Amino acid sequence: MTSVWVGERVRLRGFEPGDWEAFHAFEEYSDDVRNGWLLTPPRSAEGTKKWVADLAAEEPDLDRFKLVIARKDDDAAIGSINTHEVDRHYGTFKYGVAIGTPHHRKGYASDAIVLLLRYMFGERRFQKCDVVVYAGNQASLALHHRLGFVEEGRRRRARFAAGRYEDEVMLGLTVEEFHDRHGS
């Protein structure tokens, strides 16, 4: 029997205190941090240790959670994925995904997203996933289109980053669209 949390390239797992070094290193890439959400002042090593230790100590929630994306072959932390804006009444949720720069364009993000969607659609009975991608993040937009997400709208000048205003692109994927493209 296979695990819902293990894909072809990655496995999704909880945070461990030792993961702090990988996440501290990922923060060195300002463009990646900015593409994920918001560029913040640098965090100290102790601050990153505390942040990861706090995540490692959290009790998991069935619908709202943050997981490490780890390489399947050596369990090294290469990114994270989280769910948010979960609405059980309407059966919708959003997620965020971040892969450390040294691990880009190796299929890790798509593998992790499919695992997350398989869990949320197949185990938790959600009917739709929404995602927001900044318009300048062409790699993420292409990834989501390849996964079957459909562009549903755009919020013009929704954020200010790197000295300019940028649109947010809203994309969605229904459970039926997911099953048609990725199986169950």
Side-chain angles (χ1 to χ4, degrees), residues 95 97 109-110 113 138-149:
Y95 72 85
V97 62
S110 59
I113 292 166
Q138 292 300 310
S140 186
L141 286 170
L143 165 68
H144 285 89
H145 286 294
R146 280 193 311 273
L147 290 172
F149 281 80

Side-chain angles (χ1 to χ4, degrees), residues 34 39 159-166:
R34 192 180 294 112
L39 184 63
R159 79 165 188 155
F160 184 81
R164 67 184 182 281
Y165 290 97
E166 189 171 24

Side-chain angles (χ1 to χ4, degrees), residues 51-126:
W51 174 71
V52 171
D54 290 347
L55 286 168
E58 280 183 10
E59 286 295 317
D61 182 278
L62 291 173
D63 298 331
R64 289 179 185 85
F65 49 82
K66 184 175 188 98
L67 299 172
V68 168
I69 302 170
R71 273 194 311 246
K72 187 175 171 181
D73 59 352
D74 64 2
D75 202 41
I78 57 171
S80 64
I81 193 165
N82 70 295
T83 58
H84 58 93
E85 296 185 46
V86 174
D87 188 324
R88 294 293 305 159
H89 181 76
Y90 293 110
T92 61
F93 69 98
K94 292 182 179 178
Y95 72 85
V97 62
I99 301 291
T101 296
H103 311 288
H104 284 186
R105 302 201 179 26
K106 297 180 180 169
Y108 296 138
S110 59
D111 202 22
I113 292 166
V114 169
L115 290 172
L116 177 79
L117 294 173
R118 191 163 285 134
Y119 172 76
M120 295 299 278
F121 289 146
E123 302 293 329
R124 302 301 303 147
R125 297 185 192 152
F126 284 90

Side-chain angles (χ1 to χ4, degrees), residues 34-37 84-85 93-97 129-137 140-141 144 149-156 158-159 166-173:
R34 192 180 294 112
N35 278 335
W37 180 50
H84 58 93
E85 296 185 46
F93 69 98
K94 292 182 179 178
Y95 72 85
V97 62
C129 176
D130 295 307
V131 67
V132 174
V133 177
Y134 300 123
N137 190 345
S140 186
L141 286 170
H144 285 89
F149 281 80
V150 175
E151 188 170 326
E152 297 181 339
R154 179 176 290 254
R155 287 186 58 224
R156 297 178 307 142
R159 79 165 188 155
E166 189 171 24
D167 295 353
E168 288 180 338
V169 180
M170 294 165 280
L171 302 115
L173 181 73

